[in-house]
């Protein structure tokens, strides 16, 4: 990476548009300011205030990519969310990023940020990562997609999601030879580091927010564990029973993961009231139902879990909890496909009825 000798203090451009992922803007922005860098926020126009998609960011730009010159900066950071899809339609933003890359400046993109790199044709032949939903787009643009928290290739640093932000930001600080007084920077390969604490110090998720998310997942998995136990007990079909019990056993392992993380964070384990109330009404939902209805209930509950675990996966700046939510979501998605195949086999050529979740709103 080249540095601009006329600016001994590193100068950083962070790109912004409406709908930016709040934490993906706040965490590197705050950390770089704490490290003494001069941070400029560049948008497409000076006459608006940009808002994060979760309402936690509200900021006016310092300039725009129209008049800014890449040679005046040492690094360009591209946060994700809905913003990159707007950035990529602005030819001035694309030209600015291309100019920065041509000058050897550090380019760092997280989550959907690589959409801008795709538009700028900067991923061909590069090792990179990004949010899972744009994996195929990145590969089609010539990148080798690596499913890791941070990838580096020359002057390019990429990350996947909010859970990676502390590691991503530490990699940027390290590359720019920056440090923050009284704050140690773990090695980015140190999986035992409490990365969430760094992220919290830089404006990411708080400990309580992470705990609330884990408890939310706990409530959902405990409820559906009880539900699947009853589904298995009520079905008259042996193959259905075996599949339901197999999914029930997976939920036991999910609960163990969630409980372990809560203990690590120093949280007392408890059964949330919303789950306890749902258990009480569950038995009234299920008696005397046929096997196909039971399958539809099971499929609906699994679908609810898949969607809600995916949402939890992208909410928090704690890599360990994010990994747990991601692991549960993958398991549930596989179970969803297996249940759907079984249901389709049972109904033959008949028109399928939609899934019928028993999971109460707000449980997961």
């Amino acid at each position: 990476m080249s540095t601009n000798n006329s600016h001994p203090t590193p100068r950083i451009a962070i790109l912004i548009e409406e709908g930016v992922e709040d934490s993906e803007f706040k965490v590197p922005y705050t950390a770089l300011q704490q490290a003494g860098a001069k941070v400029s926020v560049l948008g497409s126009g000076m006459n608006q205030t940009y808002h994060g998609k979760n309402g936690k960011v509200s900021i006016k730009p310092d300039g725009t990519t129209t008049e800014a010159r890449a040679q005046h900066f040492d690094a360009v950071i591209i946060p994700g969310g809905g913003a990159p899809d707007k950035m990529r339609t602005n030819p001035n933003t694309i030209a600015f990023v291309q100019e920065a890359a041509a000058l050897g400046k550090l380019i760092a993109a997280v989550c959907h940020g690589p959409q801008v790199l795709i538009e700028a044709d900067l991923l061909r032949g590069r090792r990179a990562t990004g949010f899972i939903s744009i994996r195929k787009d990145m590969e089609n643009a010539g990148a080798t997609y690596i499913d890791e928290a941070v990838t580096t290739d020359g002057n390019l640093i990429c990350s996947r999601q909010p859970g990676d932000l502390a590691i991503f930001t530490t990699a940027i600080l390290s590359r720019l030879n920056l440090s923050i007084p009284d704050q140690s920077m773990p090695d980015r390969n140190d999986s035992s580091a409490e990365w969430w604490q760094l992220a919290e110090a830089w404006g990411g998720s708080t400990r309580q927010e992470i705990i609330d998310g884990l408890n939310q997942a706990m409530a959902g998995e405990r409820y559906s564990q009880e539900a699947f136990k009853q589904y298995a007990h009520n079905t008259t079909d042996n193959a259905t029973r075996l599949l339901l019990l197999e999914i029930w056993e997976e939920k036991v392992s999910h609960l163990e993961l969630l409980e372990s993380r809560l203990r690590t964070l120093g949280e007392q384990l408890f059964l949330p009231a919303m789950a306890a109330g749902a258990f009480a009404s569950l038995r009234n939902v299920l008696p005397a139902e046929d096997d196909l209805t039971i399958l539809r209930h099971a499929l609906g509950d699994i679908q609810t879990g898949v969607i809600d675990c995916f949402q939890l996966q992208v909410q928090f700046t704690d890599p360990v909890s994010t990994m747990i939510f991601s692991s549960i979501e993958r398991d549930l998605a596989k179970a969803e496909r297996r249940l759907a195949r079984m249901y389709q086999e049972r109904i033959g050529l008949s028109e399928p009825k939609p899934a019928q979740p028993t999971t109460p709103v707000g449980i997961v």
Side-chain angles (χ1 to χ4, degrees):
M1 183 198 72
S2 64
T3 57
N4 191 328
N5 291 329
S6 63
H7 297 287
T9 299
R11 297 189 61 183
I12 316 299
I14 298 186
L15 306 188
I16 197 164
E17 283 290 347
E18 191 70 12
V20 70
E21 180 67 50
D22 303 67
S23 61
E24 291 168 3
F25 175 85
K26 287 178 67 179
V27 168
Y29 177 80
T30 303
L32 285 161
Q33 285 193 320
Q34 290 180 3
K38 178 175 174 52
V39 183
S40 298
V41 179
L42 303 182
S44 55
M46 292 297 293
N47 62 343
Q48 75 176 100
T49 298
Y50 293 99
H51 303 93
K53 72 175 191 177
N54 299 311
K56 296 181 179 180
V57 165
S58 179
I59 193 166
K60 291 187 176 182
D62 301 302
T64 75
T65 53
T66 304
E67 83 285 344
R69 302 182 68 178
Q71 69 190 63
H72 295 152
F73 297 94
D74 299 295
V76 177
I77 298 176
I78 311 170
D85 199 45
K86 299 178 179 68
M87 294 175 192
R88 71 190 305 185
T89 67
N90 184 342
N92 298 311
T93 297
I94 299 305
F96 176 79
V97 174
Q98 288 174 324
E99 180 187 3
L103 291 170
K105 308 295 184 177
L106 177 64
I107 310 291
V110 59
C111 197
H112 286 76
Q115 287 179 315
V116 176
L117 307 180
I118 291 171
E119 195 69 28
D121 196 24
L122 294 175
L123 290 180
R124 199 168 306 280
R126 309 296 291 273
R127 296 174 73 259
T129 196
F131 195 60
I132 188 63
S133 67
I134 63 169
R135 173 176 185 158
K136 184 61 68 175
D137 302 314
M138 294 177 67
E139 290 175 339
N140 288 342
T144 298
Y145 184 93
I146 310 295
D147 187 15
E148 294 178 357
V150 175
T151 60
T152 59
D153 188 333
N155 65 328
L156 182 63
I157 297 177
C158 293
S159 273
R160 301 167 300 183
Q161 55 201 1
D164 301 329
L165 278 171
I167 307 172
F168 173 69
T169 303
T170 298
I172 295 170
L173 292 169
S174 176
R175 182 64 69 90
L176 295 171
N177 295 316
L178 290 171
S179 60
I180 299 174
D182 302 319
Q183 199 169 77
S184 62
M185 299 290 169
D187 184 279
R188 77 180 196 203
N189 297 311
D190 183 1
S191 59
S192 66
E194 293 290 354
W195 291 104
W196 70 270
Q197 292 180 346
L198 268 184
E200 182 181 30
W202 296 334
S205 307
T206 66
R207 173 182 174 275
Q208 189 57 54
E209 286 170 340
I210 297 165
I211 286 171
D212 289 346
L214 291 163
N215 273 319
Q216 186 179 352
M218 178 84 72
E221 284 300 282
R222 280 180 169 168
Y223 172 87
S224 57
Q225 181 193 38
E226 179 69 17
F228 271 74
K229 181 180 178 180
Q230 293 195 41
Y231 296 152
H233 178 267
N234 290 354
T235 186
T236 60
D237 180 74
N238 191 52
T240 302
R241 181 180 298 108
L242 289 174
L243 176 55
L244 294 171
L245 288 174
E246 187 176 330
I247 296 171
W248 175 85
E249 288 176 356
E250 277 194 334
K251 291 181 176 296
V252 173
S253 66
H254 296 165
L255 289 168
E256 289 173 351
L257 287 172
L258 293 164
E259 289 173 358
S260 175
R261 185 59 183 155
L262 283 166
R263 288 194 186 94
T264 299
L265 292 171
E267 180 68 0
Q268 293 278 12
L269 300 181
F270 69 99
L271 179 63
M274 56 184 174
F279 290 160
S281 62
L282 178 62
R283 290 176 175 81
N284 297 325
V285 178
L286 302 178
E289 292 190 326
D290 60 77
D291 291 338
L292 287 180
T293 302
I294 288 173
L295 276 173
R296 289 170 59 209
H297 283 324
L299 185 57
D301 289 340
I302 286 288
Q303 287 173 348
T304 300
V306 170
I307 293 167
D308 291 337
C309 277
F310 181 82
Q311 293 299 321
L312 289 170
Q313 177 187 337
V314 299
Q315 281 187 38
F316 306 105
T317 55
D318 171 26
V320 177
S321 297
T322 296
M323 180 183 66
I324 291 170
F325 296 138
S326 177
S327 174
I328 294 173
E329 188 267 338
R330 285 195 301 269
D331 286 347
L332 295 180
K334 291 176 185 176
E336 180 186 17
R337 291 192 293 271
R338 294 180 68 190
L339 283 167
R341 283 195 298 270
M342 178 169 282
Y343 177 61
Q344 290 163 355
E345 289 168 0
R346 296 293 186 270
I347 64 171
L349 296 178
S350 300
E351 183 175 353
K353 294 181 180 180
Q356 189 177 1
T358 67
T359 314
V361 174
I363 269 286
V364 183

